[in-house]
Amino acid sequence: MTQWVYAFGEGKADGNAAMKDLLGGKGANLAEMSALGLPVPPGFTLTTDACNYFTSHDDTYPDGFRDDVAAALKAVEKNLGLNFGDPDNVLLVSVRSGSRASMPGMMDTVLNLGLNDDTVAGLASASGDERFAYDSYRRFIQMYGDVVLGVEHHNFEDILADAKDKLGVELDTELTAENWRDVIEDYMEMVEGELGRPFPQDPEEQLWGAIDAVFKSWMNRRARTYRKLHDIPEDWGTAVNVQAMVFGNMGDDCATGVAFTRDPASGENAYYGEYLINAQGEDVVAGIRTPQSLTIREREMGGSKLPSMEETMPDAFAELLAVRARLEKHYKDMQDMEFTVQQGRLWMLQTRTGKRTTKAAIKIAVDMVAEDLIDISEAIMRIDPGQLDQILHPTLDPAAERELLGKGLPASPGAASGRMVFNSDDAEEWTGRGEKVILVRIETSPEDIGGMHVAKGILTTRGGMTSHAAVVARGMGTPCVSGAGTLKVDYTDKTMTVMGEVLGEGDLITIDGTSGEVMKGAVATIQPDLSDDFDTLMGWVDDTRTIGVRANAETPTDAATAREFGAEGIGLCRTEHMFFDSERIIHVRQMIIADTPESRAKALDALLPYQRKDFTDLFEIMDGLPVTIRLLDPPLHEFLPSSESDMADVAKAAGVTVDVVKARAAQLHEFNPMLGHRGCRLGLTYPDIYEMQARAIFEATADAVKAGRTVMPEVMVPLVALEAEFTVLKNVIDRTAKQVEKEHDVTLDYSVGTMIELPRAALRAADIAKHAEFFSFGTNDLTQTALGLSRDDAGAFIQIYREQGVLEKDPFVSIDTEGVGELVRIAIERGRTSRPDIKLGICGEHGGDPASVKFFHDSGLDYVSCSPYRVPIARLAAAQAALA
Amino acid sequence: MTQWVYAFGEGKADGNAAMKDLLGGKGANLAEMSALGLPVPPGFTLTTDACNYFTSHDDTYPDGFRDDVAAALKAVEKNLGLNFGDPDNVLLVSVRSGSRASMPGMMDTVLNLGLNDDTVAGLASASGDERFAYDSYRRFIQMYGDVVLGVEHHNFEDILADAKDKLGVELDTELTAENWRDVIEDYMEMVEGELGRPFPQDPEEQLWGAIDAVFKSWMNRRARTYRKLHDIPEDWGTAVNVQAMVFGNMGDDCATGVAFTRDPASGENAYYGEYLINAQGEDVVAGIRTPQSLTIREREMGGSKLPSMEETMPDAFAELLAVRARLEKHYKDMQDMEFTVQQGRLWMLQTRTGKRTTKAAIKIAVDMVAEDLIDISEAIMRIDPGQLDQILHPTLDPAAERELLGKGLPASPGAASGRMVFNSDDAEEWTGRGEKVILVRIETSPEDIGGMHVAKGILTTRGGMTSHAAVVARGMGTPCVSGAGTLKVDYTDKTMTVMGEVLGEGDLITIDGTSGEVMKGAVATIQPDLSDDFDTLMGWVDDTRTIGVRANAETPTDAATAREFGAEGIGLCRTEHMFFDSERIIHVRQMIIADTPESRAKALDALLPYQRKDFTDLFEIMDGLPVTIRLLDPPLHEFLPSSESDMADVAKAAGVTVDVVKARAAQLHEFNPMLGHRGCRLGLTYPDIYEMQARAIFEATADAVKAGRTVMPEVMVPLVALEAEFTVLKNVIDRTAKQVEKEHDVTLDYSVGTMIELPRAALRAADIAKHAEFFSFGTNDLTQTALGLSRDDAGAFIQIYREQGVLEKDPFVSIDTEGVGELVRIAIERGRTSRPDIKLGICGEHGGDPASVKFFHDSGLDYVSCSPYRVPIARLAAAQAALA
């Protein structure tokens, strides 16, 4: 026979912590604590199965259900020596919902159930406090009237306000027992007027009303909408917990508090918590009274004058200390508990896994391994990879004052202060004079790269999480706030206006790319300090994971950072980033303006030594590790100047008129540059560009080999859609390699592969793999093309999509496993049919997203590549994927 | 044992016409004619297998091969009573290559082989014409020297030029036998000087030299490149045909000519041809002498004074007449023959299927069915669907004079004359006053729709075959030349400059969208006149095909044209095309500018009656046929004005400032509009727009139902990538339908489906088909996204791709079956797993491309939909696909 009711309390329980599906999170943990022998007020849980029965049987209960509940209630009465509805010996209960997942929108809690005109008197005499009793009663009427009976909240508020008006008082605390009695009378009258029947005086009727209300609330509109948005199945149902009330506010031998078994900020293995004497749970949370420390240690560290619980209630504290030891040993994790002391006796009301900072999470995990509480795998699984970002970047000093100017999107984590500049040139100039700057733009473009490189932080008023500014900033590890729409930027005046206040060039601001906040002035920041615990953890991580982690990097700084953070090579070196350097851009532009192969050759010859030097530097830093170099990818118009003066410079250098430059720019204009003349299409139409790049790579390789370094360049052709695109360009690359081998008398160890970033390439992977030695999935472009969604333009509607539940996650942040993911799987499967040992990696933004890393691990890729600052995140995510 | 040598002649042959793979096209047909008993100069064919052996065995021949050739040659000698190399009785031969497919780049022909210093004298006496003999000899040396021995052509030219200089003559014909002897002497000396050995005098050595040269030419660079470009496998090989020479230039009882068994222009069942007395085959082609008619009928029709062959050589003609009958009966198709009369005797040198105009092709096919020569299926297969375009549009009068201004791409077929206008407003204004105009633009945009609609033709100086101008013009059946880059257009001056000549507004020009030519003035055109034969053929076509053909149309004119051309419904009605009408655009713009739901509602209310009227008109024209209506698709910024004055109009109408309009335009700007805020994304962010459109559709349906018409609206949601996009919008549509049903008290028969035009939609078709009642493949966008290729921007490199052989066909013209096609197949397969009877169509540009239609037929689609003028093409292609 189905068991619908699970009792707990008195050192035993029908359920346990593993039964969350049936008893909900709260019910399961109450049962677990009871069974552990901890002092839990007795009660019982009505199962989620009962909820499902109720829902599917026109709001009725299974046979015998009411008898089971009555029996369970009897057991509670017997356990406590109290009786439900007995004025002389009154048992009050709380009724709480509790589903498998925490879920707003459902009925939450009714306290003090069982009070009526008779029992309230009993509570008054039992507590010796009449005011307490009537205050409790009116609270119950209000709560029950609102959530169970459906009387609108404002009806109660109005009565209370009138009463206070009449009495000439302002605070609820000023009302006496007598006053509350009057209010209760008015409440009762009003409820009867609203409902056409009196407020239920029968405790049993009250109980069933509350239980019905919880079960019904599972199907109300808000709950249904929430479930749809969060993919929670309807048939999970909710449980109902009925539990004897205990009171922390019956006098000075009463208290209530919360405690963490370890310090949730530092992770220190020490009790940490707060309590209040003669108070209810809400009072601690509400912050009306200043809570006191749990321990002497805490009190001393905090410099508080208020005595700790260790001092004021040594017996209850000792009991609590025993509970702590018991719970940690049992749950093997840091716990967050709620407790109440009623007339000297400790009652545990809740325990759950405690939230903690990343720093604390790491310390606790590492400590618990040392304490033999958990093993290394468990320690690894304990850390949320996404949270690691917190400790890898500078953060705002929590103690510092801050004056908020506005808020945008947390586009690239970390905090930074600096003087505002409004364009890239100014950023470089100000930095040149030793100033720290924040680059403020409406939006950024590749032309701004110079300024973005030197700026301490980047702020844009337009663009989303995957705008140019956001992507580039994350790649460089520079803090960035994007899309701060309430700030108005004027490039001409070089001002930023916030609610009427105008800030100008040179004014100090601070941005927090972790929260999206923009603040006035310089707010103090704290530099990241990676602990020994971090190193320990990452050591375990590397021993555990099976998928490699590389970094996307092109500058020596980024490459060095990447290696420090544990990158095992470069998975994406974007050669075009090297083109924007101020010394070089003029040659790049000359190359583009060139109208004969000869003049283009001249410009390319000028670029060759720069590009070779880039690779020489990279190869030195990445000695012994593979470096994947992507040949020129963006459309040429991205390199052309937009300002008249820059155009004049280019015209002069190229020996043509400004009109020629403008005409060339107009000619290169594209309607959809993302789908335009870029990637390998450039290589096929201007093979000399790719040839120059290949030469630079191979000459640098030859030099490095002669210098005794181990270099493994992987030359990567972007945006391939057709087998022939790849074969033609592979020929160009191989031919150049042969020439360099001959010129330098060395043997070059290199491979040639391609990006898989177009749906067609994924589908035709078998053809392409006949020639390509590796694939690197460009999941940014693959997402753009598979979904027909421009990363730069999606901001206009993607938020609405997420609000409507049409899209769960931003597909540019976490890979769309169903669509884009299927293309990845298809490409892997087909690629391997022609080349079983083909090397497979991914170098899109998704390489640093934990959920995506799991997908790539499961798909069997050899490595992921992400921005240097996300390398530790990817390593951890990879280890977790291996353990999952 | 492998047979390497196949003899023919003397009324029999080892091979036949079916053996093209082994004998090449020429060899197989010579064999066939021989076996038919036609007078073919005897000879033999060396097989393609021999070629492959030669190629794969270091240019050597199989054992016994030389003996087989010798024996075959003996047989020819015996047959004719002549001897190879015998001055007294000389046999000369031609050596020709002949592969399965006609293939430039290979060695073609050596004539008169067997001539040497001795045999030339024999030829002189046999022909009685010494000059003829020596001229033949020097031609042989020249030809053999060039193509077999590799002596550069100019060497021969130089000697001949010198000789003529010395003699003071200008024409070759002025040289005497003696002169030729001198030239030959110089040739011989030069050849020996170039090669270090004398010109081969041994006929057998000559023969083997020529055979070697043909086989070797199969592997030369030009041939290899050509094969790669045309996907011809290397192992096809070429055959070699060695055949006895016959001469049409031995005197007045000799002649040479070509003949078609039916009139290749009209298709008339009458002999048609030309001949020249005392001439060689080249003379007919070269056009130095005016050829004479074959028949009296022809001579009289052409008004020629020169006698026909029927008159001058009645015997040979009678023989030729018999050949005609024999060949047509045998080949069951119109033949194109070459013949020679040597000293009164007819020799057939070649027969092949004759080329013909579309009109002739249709007439011949229909006639041959009536004549019981072929069946209906064969008649259908005989017509090239692509060629049908020729007869559906006006064409230039071939007799009219034309002055060419320039050439662009043949973007939309048909010819048109009119006065030049340079913008849409002018086009409408000039048309309003009764002028015919050609709209001349650098490129067009959706704003130009009004002018494009009224213009007789469209000319752009930029953009490719799939530019906006090209696509829209084809849809409207308006002639269009796009990308005529040598013409310079100046909008400000309203001029078009061509090589210094300036033409202005109002000047007459003519464009031919079939050839891409642009001409000065009005060139006379001929209106298409569809024959009864055409109707007969299309009747057979419709009985044969199994895939439906619909049209893409939104205007009443287009819909009526479509129905006339046999469309079985509308497969794509683009509702946004209706938005550009000058009366409506202001409301559309107001709707876009609207910053509150109320002001948007006002604009939408104003649009509703217009949109409803559109559908009412369409439903009337398409009574009884299905109409698929696509809800708003393009990004909103396409509707916004660009000129200051238009912006002012919108601002005034919307009651806002011009700055607000500009700001809204700036806000709507997109980097990649193709991948931006469009399609169903508009429906999700502005559901009221789709609601208005759905209401217009359903109200028009309700009216039509009440008027007794049969209406089957299929409401189509564009650009779906996610299942939820479709379900949310289907709800909006269904809800609106229910409202209209209630308001009008009718039951509506409609369906709701989606475009499949994004790779993700194809991959997730099983999910989407759970809700969608039909799929229509949007292969334009599917091509853009699968290949990551913007239709508007691909022009910059797609031509280079095709030249390099990287891309065989423009994927926007003919579907990329490997990539895009696979997505179509995946979507069909997966869609049917959730909805086995899902209706499947395609409405991209590919719906009118024959190769693509075949693919769609094979894939199992229910229908294709194309522009009205391509409906007959699609019908024919569909019938051919069904027969294939």
Side-chain angles (χ1 to χ4, degrees), chain A residues 675 681 725 760 790 801 816, chain B residues 675 725 760 788 790 801 816:
Chain A
L675 308 175
R681 296 160 191 173
E725 287 174 328
R760 192 187 197 283
S790 162
Y801 265 43
D816 158 36
Chain B
L675 307 176
E725 287 174 326
R760 192 186 198 281
S790 162
Y801 265 44
D816 157 36

Side-chain angles (χ1 to χ4, degrees), chain A residues 443 462 666 669-677 680-681 684-685 719 721-722 724-725 728 758-760 763-764 767 784-790 792-793 796-797 800-801 804-807 816 818-819 822-823 826 830, chain B residues 443 462 666 669-677 680-681 684-685 719 721-722 724-725 728 758-760 763-764 767 784-790 792-793 796-797 800-801 804-807 816 818-819 822-823 826 830:
Chain A
E443 51 201 337
R462 220 192 266 168
H669 166 80
E670 293 186 308
F671 294 101
N672 294 291
M674 158 63 209
L675 308 175
H677 195 177
C680 68
R681 296 160 191 173
L684 280 151
T685 46
L719 213 74
L722 308 161
E725 287 174 328
V728 169
L758 296 175
R760 192 187 197 283
L763 294 168
R764 306 306 301 174
D767 295 342
Q784 295 200 88
T785 47
L787 275 72
L789 197 64
S790 162
D792 294 321
D793 302 312
F797 51 91
I800 300 175
Y801 265 43
Q804 295 186 341
V806 170
L807 204 59
D816 158 36
E818 287 189 342
E822 167 134 27
L823 288 171
I826 287 174
R830 297 186 180 181
Chain B
E443 52 199 336
R462 216 190 269 169
H669 166 81
E670 294 186 308
F671 295 101
N672 295 291
M674 157 63 208
L675 307 176
H677 195 176
C680 68
R681 296 160 193 173
L684 280 151
T685 47
L719 213 73
L722 308 161
E725 287 174 326
V728 169
L758 296 175
R760 192 186 198 281
L763 295 168
R764 305 306 301 175
D767 295 341
Q784 296 200 86
T785 47
L787 274 74
L789 198 63
S790 162
D792 294 321
D793 302 312
F797 52 90
I800 301 175
Y801 265 44
Q804 293 186 342
V806 171
L807 204 56
D816 157 36
E818 287 189 343
E822 166 135 28
L823 287 172
I826 288 174
R830 297 185 180 182

Side-chain angles (χ1 to χ4, degrees), chain B residues 9-204:
Chain B
E10 207 191 354
K12 59 186 184 191
D14 296 343
N16 61 55
M19 297 168 76
K20 284 203 176 108
D21 294 358
L22 189 67
L23 306 179
K26 185 187 295 283
N29 272 321
L30 285 169
E32 187 82 6
M33 282 200 293
S34 277
L36 280 175
L38 299 182
V40 173
F44 51 89
T45 304
L46 313 183
T47 67
T48 54
D49 283 351
C51 177
N52 287 334
Y53 185 101
F54 183 82
T55 305
S56 57
H57 289 79
D58 295 324
D59 297 357
T60 62
Y61 294 105
D63 283 350
F65 183 73
R66 286 174 186 271
D67 296 339
D68 293 349
V69 170
L73 190 61
K74 268 269 161 301
V76 174
E77 288 176 328
K78 196 174 155 211
N79 183 293
L80 293 174
L82 300 171
N83 292 317
F84 198 51
D86 176 356
D88 297 331
N89 209 14
V90 64
L91 169 69
L92 301 183
V93 297
S94 64
V95 177
R96 290 183 168 97
S97 67
S99 74
R100 212 190 291 193
S102 145
M103 220 185 79
M106 278 164 47
M107 202 209 87
D108 190 16
T109 301
V110 176
L111 298 177
N112 301 330
L113 190 140
L115 280 177
N116 58 22
D117 295 349
D118 297 333
T119 56
V120 67
L123 183 63
S125 64
S127 65
D129 184 345
E130 205 179 2
R131 192 189 172 283
F132 157 73
Y134 283 94
D135 184 18
S136 299
Y137 190 28
R138 73 93 192 176
R139 282 175 196 259
F140 166 62
I141 297 165
Q142 207 169 314
M143 207 179 264
Y144 193 94
D146 178 10
V147 302
V148 178
L149 302 178
V151 176
E152 285 183 34
H153 194 63
H154 70 89
N155 291 310
F156 297 101
E157 294 293 340
D158 291 349
I159 290 170
L160 184 52
D162 281 355
K164 288 197 283 192
D165 265 7
K166 235 179 273 171
L167 295 166
V169 302
E170 277 194 29
L171 298 175
D172 289 4
T173 46
E174 296 175 76
L175 270 68
T176 63
E178 189 54 39
N179 297 149
W180 283 128
R181 253 198 295 259
D182 293 342
V183 168
I184 288 166
E185 211 163 291
D186 291 347
Y187 274 7
M188 290 300 192
E189 205 170 302
M190 179 275 292
V191 169
E192 187 159 359
E194 286 288 317
L195 301 176
R197 55 191 159 82
F199 185 91
Q201 288 290 323
D202 176 10
E204 203 153 328

Side-chain angles (χ1 to χ4, degrees), chain A residues 427-639:
Chain A
E428 297 193 63
E429 194 196 317
W430 284 67
T431 306
R433 342 193 260 263
E435 295 282 359
K436 290 182 179 174
V437 301
I438 304 290
L439 178 62
V440 181
R441 300 283 299 166
I442 296 172
E443 51 201 337
T444 64
S445 73
E447 268 200 78
D448 299 321
I449 287 284
M452 295 173 82
H453 254 293
V454 299
K456 293 295 162 198
I458 297 159
L459 168 62
T460 69
T461 58
R462 220 192 266 168
M465 290 295 288
T466 47
S467 61
H468 179 264
V471 172
V472 172
R474 281 199 293 276
M476 301 189 307
T478 303
C480 174
V481 172
S482 69
T486 56
L487 310 176
K488 300 292 163 212
V489 165
D490 186 322
Y491 286 151
T492 320
D493 300 350
K494 298 191 178 174
T495 58
M496 180 172 84
T497 307
V498 192
M499 316 284 264
E501 184 178 1
V502 180
L503 289 91
E505 189 180 38
D507 286 352
L508 273 169
I509 60 168
T510 300
I511 64 168
D512 183 352
T514 310
S515 68
E517 289 178 343
V518 182
M519 288 141 288
K520 198 169 169 178
V523 180
T525 55
I526 303 171
Q527 286 307 306
D529 174 24
L530 297 181
S531 61
D532 291 346
D533 291 326
F534 175 80
D535 291 340
T536 305
L537 178 78
M538 294 311 285
W540 295 338
V541 157
D542 289 341
D543 290 344
T544 304
R545 70 189 161 87
T546 54
I547 189 170
V549 177
R550 299 193 191 179
N552 302 346
E554 36 276 329
T555 65
T557 319
D558 285 350
T561 306
R563 196 155 193 173
E564 247 168 62
F565 275 143
E568 296 159 313
I570 287 179
L572 176 64
C573 164
R574 287 154 289 210
T575 51
E576 64 270 14
H577 279 208
M578 303 160 163
F579 280 17
F580 282 106
D581 186 281
S582 54
E583 272 187 353
R584 309 168 181 194
I585 187 73
I586 190 76
H587 301 299
V588 175
R589 289 170 176 171
Q590 269 180 271
M591 168 189 87
I592 296 168
I593 299 301
D595 53 359
T596 62
E598 293 71 33
S599 50
R600 192 161 61 238
K602 210 179 124 203
L604 286 169
D605 284 348
L607 279 170
L608 177 62
Y610 290 112
Q611 188 103 81
R612 186 174 51 224
K613 174 78 163 57
D614 292 329
F615 298 127
T616 301
D617 291 348
L618 273 191
F619 292 156
E620 192 175 336
I621 295 165
M622 303 307 289
D623 188 8
L625 297 178
V627 176
T628 308
I629 298 160
R630 182 179 72 186
L631 301 180
L632 189 67
D633 183 49
L636 296 183
H637 49 74
E638 282 202 7
F639 299 100

